[in-house]
Amino acid sequence: GCVLVVSVIEQLAQWHNSTVKAAMERLCNYIPGKYQIIRHMLCCIDRKMNADVVCHSLKLCKQDPGQPLCHLYAPPEVSWFSTFSKTTDCGRSFKLELNSKSFTGFSSICAFPLLANLCEKIKYVLRNKLPFEDFDGDKFSTFPTLRGYHWRGRDCNDKNTTVYPGRRPDNWDVKSDSNCNGIWGVDPKDGIPYEEKFCKGADSQGVVLLGDSAGAHFHIPPEWMTVTQMSAKSFANLPMAFTDELDWPQFSEITGFLNSTIGGWTDSLYLRLRRRNRCNHRDLQNISQNGFLARNQLLDNPAIVIYATIGNDVCNGNRDTLAHMTTPKEMVSNVVQALRYLDSHLPNGSHVILTGLVDGRFLWDNLHDRYHPLGQLNRDVTYSQIYSFLDCLQVSPCSGWLTPNETLRNLTSERALQLSNVLKEIARSEKFANFDIFYMDFPLRQTAEEWHKMGGEPWQLIEPVDGFHPSQIAAALGTRITWQKALQEWPQVLGKENPFNDQIEAIFKDQGGH
């Protein structure tokens, strides 16, 4: 974090031909709220030390005994020790100032009055993976972030636990909208409830993602660290991004429902199911990075569940990464246990699609020698350097693939293929009472081919800041490929087209928002 902030300040000064102080003020004016802790870095940056030296001097970065000294930029021409010694006074004054304010460093950022309340909310969400604002406790919310309706369909009555997206209509919703799809009341021409007329026998169903950070659509806007593009507008979405844990499920491949504001376009399984049957409105759940399924086996509609943990079973930040990967035997046990849980919670007539793991060699092959957003101004930071820096800090999202070690990359992909074959066999052999089960490979190759036909480059399918997650373009193209496969091979999964869609839109057009 420190290296990132110092790098941006130094580059802002360079790009605008200003002093470091002016650059820091510029950054503070861009960011909502004044994060005054940045100001304490000023004395060290003025000495024209690179970001690694500044942050080690301030003791915000450290070298543990027996561990390598982690750095993003090239080492100084003189020794690290002599460089640090020149900045001792700066580090000492920074430490004294922090102590005088009862801070202990960046780790205590939640002690800032501006951030304390927000931090408590985020801690609650991270701990429980449930909406922070959910007054009736039905796991659905009227608030967008903090695991609210960006993640699950928007509640239409947060004071009634029996009203939520995805349930079967209560008495055909004659008097009120019990399932939040915007369809309720009685047709005055014939006295038939609109829900009964338009949705009875329509194969209404929701979509649920059980996934990881890729399914949640993790994204850090590149303009946050690309000084040539940076302005106050760049950070307008910062509060929303943080309260969604830097995830953007509202634009994601499975549950996206809003037009993308982070590049590319939004196309999702949910939107296609909604266009196929307008009665499916708001019936979505993105349960990524753990969470709780909200489905009542007796009261709710069936659901299509996408089980897509595409990398976590082989990805970790450990030095001995292979030893920490899921084994095929563990994979069988874990997945079957999850499927049994689903069988006890999903309404009858549901469907489960197991998605294979990705072949992450695509990442290194297409990014390692390209410049990261932090390195584009001076052409001094490649993705290879970013990967090595994160690996040194033991926070790499995937040590097995984000490495110059080709043998290790191949071994990681070999394990990923073994685990995909486990999923394929489970789909072939296991039977469950309340859902049928299917398997599909992660469509990376087809996505790259499709994007190439459109004139795109492979690296554009990867998130530019973390160099690891699928980009917005990859998510939208992946939806198209998945939908085509389902139409060809499992049309029963998607349900039939609702012939009343146009009538529903005409009558309830003002109640179709998300």
Side-chain angles (χ1 to χ4, degrees):
C2 175
V3 170
L4 167 63
V5 171
V6 174
S7 297
V8 168
I9 292 173
E10 289 179 336
Q11 291 183 29
L12 275 172
Q14 177 185 345
W15 179 247
H16 293 282
N17 194 25
S18 70
T19 64
V20 169
K21 181 178 181 180
M24 187 190 64
E25 292 293 343
R26 184 186 298 272
L27 180 62
C28 286
N29 289 332
Y30 288 165
I31 298 174
K34 301 289 189 190
Y35 300 101
Q36 304 295 334
I37 196 167
I38 294 174
R39 300 181 188 278
H40 296 294
M41 300 175 182
L42 181 60
C43 64
C44 293
I45 304 175
D46 267 344
R47 301 185 188 197
K48 303 199 182 298
M49 306 295 180
N50 74 31
D52 294 312
V53 175
V54 170
C55 294
H56 277 277
S57 302
L58 296 176
K59 309 299 184 188
L60 295 175
C61 295
K62 59 186 174 64
Q63 180 182 13
D64 289 334
Q67 298 293 327
L69 193 149
C70 302
H71 58 91
L72 179 60
Y73 296 91
E77 295 180 6
V78 296
S79 71
W80 283 102
F81 179 79
S82 60
T83 307
F84 291 162
S85 65
K86 295 176 183 177
T87 60
T88 300
D89 290 341
C90 176
R92 185 180 298 118
S93 66
F94 175 80
K95 185 175 181 181
L96 287 172
E97 184 136 13
L98 285 179
N99 286 342
S100 71
K101 291 179 166 64
S102 301
F103 297 147
T104 56
F106 256 0
S107 62
S108 296
I109 195 166
C110 287
F112 284 85
L114 283 171
L115 299 178
N117 187 41
L118 176 61
C119 282
E120 285 306 309
K121 291 182 178 181
I122 293 176
K123 285 177 185 176
Y124 172 89
V125 170
L126 292 175
R127 192 165 54 241
N128 297 285
K129 302 297 183 185
L130 287 170
F132 180 78
E133 293 195 8
D134 176 19
F135 297 108
D136 58 14
D138 60 8
K139 300 185 178 71
F140 295 90
S141 177
T142 58
F143 190 76
T145 62
L146 294 168
R147 292 274 166 162
Y149 68 76
H150 282 174
W151 300 80
R152 305 169 189 251
R154 184 173 182 169
D155 204 341
C156 53
N157 186 341
D158 208 18
K159 296 179 181 179
N160 188 337
T161 189
T162 65
V163 174
Y164 54 86
R167 67 156 294 165
R168 294 191 183 102
D170 178 21
N171 191 30
W172 294 116
D173 285 357
V174 170
K175 295 184 177 180
S176 63
D177 188 6
S178 67
N179 56 16
C180 302
N181 67 0
I183 303 169
W184 64 283
V186 176
D187 189 336
K189 296 177 183 177
D190 53 24
I192 299 174
Y194 286 115
E195 267 278 3
E196 183 178 3
K197 175 178 285 191
F198 296 144
C199 301
K200 184 178 181 180
D203 293 343
S204 298
Q205 58 185 340
V207 60
V208 178
L209 173 70
L210 303 180
D212 49 25
S213 55
H217 203 25
F218 183 85
H219 167 81
I220 299 174
E223 58 270 24
W224 287 3
M225 56 189 69
T226 309
V227 299
T228 56
Q229 304 173 14
M230 194 176 293
S231 67
K233 186 178 178 181
S234 304
F235 293 94
N237 56 11
L238 187 146
M240 182 190 72
F242 276 136
T243 50
D244 264 336
E245 306 156 55
L246 294 177
D247 294 320
W248 307 72
Q250 68 273 30
F251 307 142
S252 65
E253 178 176 350
I254 304 300
T255 64
F257 60 89
L258 294 177
N259 292 330
S260 172
T261 60
I262 56 174
W265 64 98
T266 301
D267 189 4
S268 71
L269 180 58
Y270 162 72
L271 283 176
R272 288 177 177 247
L273 286 170
R274 183 187 181 278
R275 284 197 295 268
R276 194 172 181 84
N277 180 5
R278 171 61 177 74
C279 300
N280 293 330
H281 181 60
R282 290 192 188 176
D283 195 356
L284 63 101
Q285 297 182 50
N286 190 313
I287 305 173
S288 294
Q289 306 176 71
N290 300 318
F292 295 91
L293 176 71
R295 213 68 177 179
N296 186 303
Q297 204 163 32
L298 299 177
L299 297 178
D300 297 349
N301 286 319
I304 300 174
V305 177
I306 310 296
Y307 188 107
T309 53
I310 65 171
N312 280 8
D313 286 285
V314 296
C315 285
N316 58 74
N318 295 293
R319 294 278 164 79
D320 53 343
T321 181
L322 291 170
H324 289 82
M325 294 179 186
T326 303
T327 66
K329 184 177 180 180
E330 290 169 335
M331 190 72 165
V332 171
S333 175
N334 293 342
V335 175
V336 169
Q337 181 181 358
L339 293 174
R340 286 173 179 162
Y341 175 88
L342 291 176
D343 199 34
S344 67
H345 286 73
L346 290 176
N348 189 262
S350 295
H351 311 280
V352 174
I353 300 174
L354 304 179
T355 302
L357 279 71
V358 68
D359 184 350
R361 289 176 293 192
F362 185 89
L363 303 169
W364 180 268
D365 292 346
N366 289 287
L367 281 185
H368 75 275
D369 56 354
R370 295 189 61 83
Y371 290 109
H372 185 270
L374 268 184
Q376 288 175 6
L377 181 64
N378 295 311
R379 303 176 73 83
D380 58 351
V381 178
T382 63
Y383 281 94
S384 177
Q385 288 169 261
I386 290 285
Y387 294 156
S388 296
F389 183 49
L390 296 177
D391 190 57
C392 181
L393 295 169
Q394 299 181 41
V395 295
S396 171
C398 197
S399 295
W401 277 325
L402 309 183
T403 173
N405 186 331
E406 183 179 7
T407 300
L408 183 54
R409 297 200 304 271
N410 290 338
L411 288 171
T412 304
S413 288
E414 183 179 310
R415 177 62 62 84
L417 180 59
Q418 291 172 355
L419 300 183
S420 294
N421 287 334
V422 167
L423 294 171
K424 190 181 298 186
E425 176 59 22
I426 289 173
R428 186 193 67 81
S429 61
E430 295 288 337
K431 305 297 179 187
F432 296 91
N434 289 306
F435 57 82
D436 47 16
I437 185 168
F438 306 90
Y439 170 85
M440 68 173 290
D441 290 322
F442 186 83
L444 179 59
R445 178 182 58 79
Q446 299 96 312
T447 301
E449 290 172 356
E450 189 85 12
W451 184 231
H452 178 71
K453 291 176 186 176
M454 296 170 68
E457 296 289 338
W459 57 267
Q460 294 170 314
L461 299 174
I462 308 167
E463 275 294 319
V465 172
D466 64 60
F468 178 65
H469 291 90
S471 69
Q472 184 66 36
I473 294 170
L477 291 176
T479 297
R480 182 191 304 177
I481 293 165
T482 300
W483 185 262
Q484 290 170 347
K485 180 179 177 65
L487 279 177
Q488 293 169 6
E489 300 183 20
W490 328 307
Q492 73 276 21
V493 170
L494 304 178
K496 57 193 176 188
E497 291 207 40
N498 191 328
F500 300 109
N501 282 337
D502 291 341
Q503 288 179 256
I504 296 172
E505 287 295 343
I507 296 173
F508 297 101
K509 60 183 179 181
D510 294 332
Q511 298 181 49
H514 287 93

